[in-house]
């Protein structure tokens, strides 16, 4: 059975919050998100994961994207910032942090996203295009093979 993930694309004043990740010598960004628990909806998971990973409270505006691969279904929701300052919560990511495994939430300008290594690259590129077009082309859904995934 595929793992179901819920991810937040949080916007505030032409910025988006991203989670910087460093695993061993690899560093990249991801949108905040994680696994949906059995007792919650995707929307509840988005709000919970956004808070756990960024300490930011959000409101869901709309569903944007579904990206499916062999192992997971990734669901992305456009969210509005309500309150909070970006800092890692005291949940799993905080407990798993080490010299070789780091997490740091931060605001990044939407205009600089195309130059950032944001995974998945497909969603990064959809978002940049759709943001410019006021999200006229959403929702989007795509199934890809892991071997066909765009690499950094």
């Amino acid at each position: 059975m595929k793992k179901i993930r819920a991810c937040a694309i949080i916007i505030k004043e032409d910025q988006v919050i991203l989670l910087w990740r460093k695993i061993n010598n690899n560093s990249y960004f991801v949108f905040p998100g994680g696994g949906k628990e059995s007792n919650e909806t995707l929307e509840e998971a988005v709000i919970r994961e956004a808070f756990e990973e960024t300490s930011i409270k959000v409101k869901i505006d709309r569903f944007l994207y579904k990206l499916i691969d062999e192992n997971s279904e990734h669901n992305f929701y456009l969210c509005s910032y309500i309150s909070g300052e970006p800092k890692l919560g005291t949940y799993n990511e905080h407990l798993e942090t080490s010299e070789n495994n780091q997490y740091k939430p931060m605001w990044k300008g939407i205009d600089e996203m195309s130059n950032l290594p944001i995974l998945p690259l497909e969603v990064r590129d959809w978002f940049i295009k759709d943001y410019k077009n006021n999200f006229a082309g959403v929702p989007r859904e795509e199934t890809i093979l892991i071997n066909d995934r765009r690499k950094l």
Side-chain angles (χ1 to χ4, degrees), residues 22-123:
K22 181 180 178 192
I23 301 174
N24 299 317
N25 292 323
N26 298 318
S27 83
Y28 56 92
F29 294 90
V30 294
F31 295 102
K36 176 187 158 311
E37 295 177 1
S38 61
N39 63 340
E40 65 185 352
T41 66
L42 278 170
E43 292 81 3
E44 290 167 336
V46 167
I47 291 169
R48 176 184 54 77
E49 287 288 346
F51 186 75
E52 286 179 4
E53 293 185 353
T54 68
S55 300
I56 299 289
K57 291 185 180 180
V58 300
K59 172 181 77 74
I60 294 176
D61 294 328
R62 65 192 287 192
F63 176 76
L64 289 180
Y65 312 123
K66 183 182 289 190
L67 186 64
I68 303 167
D69 61 34
E70 287 97 338
N71 302 317
S72 304
E73 175 185 299
H74 309 266
N75 298 276
F76 293 84
Y77 288 80
L78 181 64
C79 299
S80 294
Y81 166 87
I82 294 176
S83 65
E85 293 299 320
K87 65 179 180 182
L88 192 59
T90 58
Y91 302 91
N92 290 342
E93 291 76 16
H94 176 76
L95 299 173
E96 296 169 359
T97 297
S98 69
E99 185 176 325
N100 294 320
N101 188 32
Q102 297 179 29
Y103 303 81
K104 184 177 181 185
M106 60 184 70
W107 291 108
K108 290 291 187 179
I110 292 172
D111 59 348
E112 65 183 304
M113 289 178 69
S114 61
N115 298 319
L116 296 175
I118 303 170
L119 297 177
L121 293 172
E122 293 86 356
V123 172

